[in-house]
Amino acid sequence: MADFKAKYGSWAMVAGASEGLGAAFAEALAKRGLNLILIARRLDKLEALARKLKEIYRVEIQVYTLDLSDFVAVKKTHRLHGKAIGLLVYNAAYAPIGYFENISEESLEQIVDVNVKAPLLLSKLVSKQMIDRKKGGIVLMSSLAGTQGSPKIATYAASKAFNSILAEGLWNELKKHDIDVLASCAGAISTPGYKNAQNTKDAPGTLSAKQVAEDTLNALGKGPTTIPGMTNKLAQFFMNRIFPRKWAISIMDKNTKDLS
Ligand SMILES: NC(=O)c1ccc[n+]([C@@H]2O[C@H](COP(=O)([O-])OP(=O)(O)OC[C@H]3O[C@@H](n4cnc5c(N)ncnc54)[C@H](OP(=O)(O)O)[C@@H]3O)[C@@H](O)[C@H]2O)c1
């Protein structure tokens, strides 16, 4: 755990930290002794989390209420903060559920802004400083939904594919600067967001947010991609290596049809 702080530096930023997996990442990083910059839109949740983590782990925490779709505001906050960010965890996502014909243009733009533009530009901002310091880490939250076409969440899934591929490229480019980059391709996670969307019982292999956060941070520095959980690793193997592409998409169709 102490190694973790030495390797990445003393400040980590979690973008999308107010609940669910983002809050679990914040706790896992505080446990490793890192000070935190927490970003989300809901101040009350961020402040409650910051109070709890400060009390238990005695770390410094700064909270910022920001809409990550507003990149001008994100850039301003990044400058305001002034501290070197050693580790970025981009966790926020916007995932409207519905068939493409029923998703508004505004929603489609919001998916691109929150899930594609913000992680891309934040990675650019933080990696600049990391290159100068010759150390750092970037975690981009992706999803198994992004490993094949996923009906009813088609654009969200495509945005997650973007993050996986970006992370793989950056993993290779930035390793010469001692910067670790990782895409975490999670299966179902028991978070408020997932519970709201899931109308039936949890999907097989559903993990807790705590386990996904721990597995992901433990995988940082060991390769470009991780898939938390054995059931999910197996599912990914069959879906993307064994089954024909059309089967994989049909299986996703069956899995997503009850989402709302
Ligand atoms: N849950 C799953 O089953 C699952 C499966 C695979 C991958 N993932 C990935 O794991 C990550 C976390 O999932 P989750 O289920 O924990 O999501 P969630 O419950 O929807 O939480 C997302 C977090 O991001 C913040 N956020 C969302 N939009 C934002 C915006 N425009 N500006 C600032 N903050 C924003 C939310 O806080 P505010 O609302 O306070 O802003 C919240 O803290 C996502 O990247 C998701 O794609 C999740």
Side-chain angles (χ1 to χ4, degrees):
M1 300 261 177
D3 288 355
F4 203 86
K5 189 173 169 183
K7 191 163 182 199
Y8 298 112
S10 46
W11 283 89
M13 174 186 277
V14 183
S18 60
E19 68 181 10
L21 183 60
F25 269 123
E27 177 146 16
L29 290 166
K31 200 164 107 188
R32 285 161 170 78
L34 273 78
N35 300 320
L36 299 172
I37 300 151
L38 303 179
I39 296 175
R41 291 163 299 183
R42 286 168 295 174
L43 183 61
D44 53 337
K45 286 200 171 275
L46 285 177
E47 285 183 337
L49 177 66
R51 265 196 307 277
K52 177 184 134 188
L53 299 183
K54 274 185 199 166
E55 201 175 306
I56 303 175
Y57 302 104
R58 304 280 160 206
V59 292
E60 282 182 61
I61 300 183
Q62 296 182 359
V63 300
Y64 293 99
T65 46
L66 271 186
D67 187 335
L68 286 156
S69 66
D70 177 358
F71 199 74
V72 176
V74 175
K75 211 166 168 175
K76 225 183 263 167
T77 304
H78 177 264
R79 267 201 230 104
L80 266 184
H81 172 67
K83 300 218 165 56
I85 293 157
L87 183 56
L88 165 69
V89 177
Y90 195 91
N91 171 76
Y94 176 54
I97 291 156
Y99 294 109
F100 192 65
E101 70 212 61
N102 300 323
I103 306 275
S104 68
E105 284 173 34
E106 290 73 23
S107 273
L108 295 176
E109 264 183 327
Q110 178 86 353
I111 297 174
V112 174
D113 287 344
V114 178
N115 304 4
V116 175
K117 189 174 165 189
L120 177 66
L121 295 181
L122 256 180
S123 296
K124 173 73 183 163
L125 284 181
V126 299
S127 64
K128 234 183 205 165
Q129 303 171 325
M130 290 173 183
I131 289 169
D132 292 341
R133 291 200 317 282
K134 283 210 116 350
K135 67 176 175 184
I138 298 173
V139 175
L140 301 180
M141 263 325 288
S142 184
S143 168
L144 288 182
T147 58
Q148 68 293 295
S150 297
K152 231 177 166 182
I153 46 170
T155 314
Y156 162 79
S159 76
K160 291 289 148 179
F162 175 89
N163 280 269
S164 295
I165 298 298
L166 175 67
E168 286 184 353
L170 296 186
W171 170 81
N172 182 283
E173 281 191 25
L174 295 177
K175 67 181 171 190
K176 63 176 176 289
H177 301 290
D178 285 330
I179 299 166
D180 295 329
V181 183
L182 178 71
S184 178
C185 296
I189 315 165
S190 185
T191 62
Y194 176 73
K195 295 271 176 211
N196 280 343
Q198 187 74 358
N199 289 329
T200 52
K201 61 181 175 29
D202 285 354
T206 299
L207 299 175
S208 69
K210 185 177 175 189
Q211 185 171 352
V212 174
E214 286 293 341
D215 284 7
T216 299
L217 294 178
N218 289 338
L220 187 60
K222 295 178 183 154
T225 304
T226 191
I227 300 169
M230 192 43 75
T231 306
N232 295 326
K233 284 184 177 67
L234 272 174
Q236 152 74 4
F237 178 76
F238 281 99
M239 293 280 275
N240 294 105
R241 302 256 183 101
I242 305 289
F243 297 162
R245 205 76 183 149
K246 283 182 189 171
W247 286 19
I249 299 165
S250 299
I251 291 168
M252 275 312 287
D253 184 28
K254 287 196 181 74
N255 287 342
T256 54
K257 75 174 185 324
D258 290 327
L259 297 178
S260 64

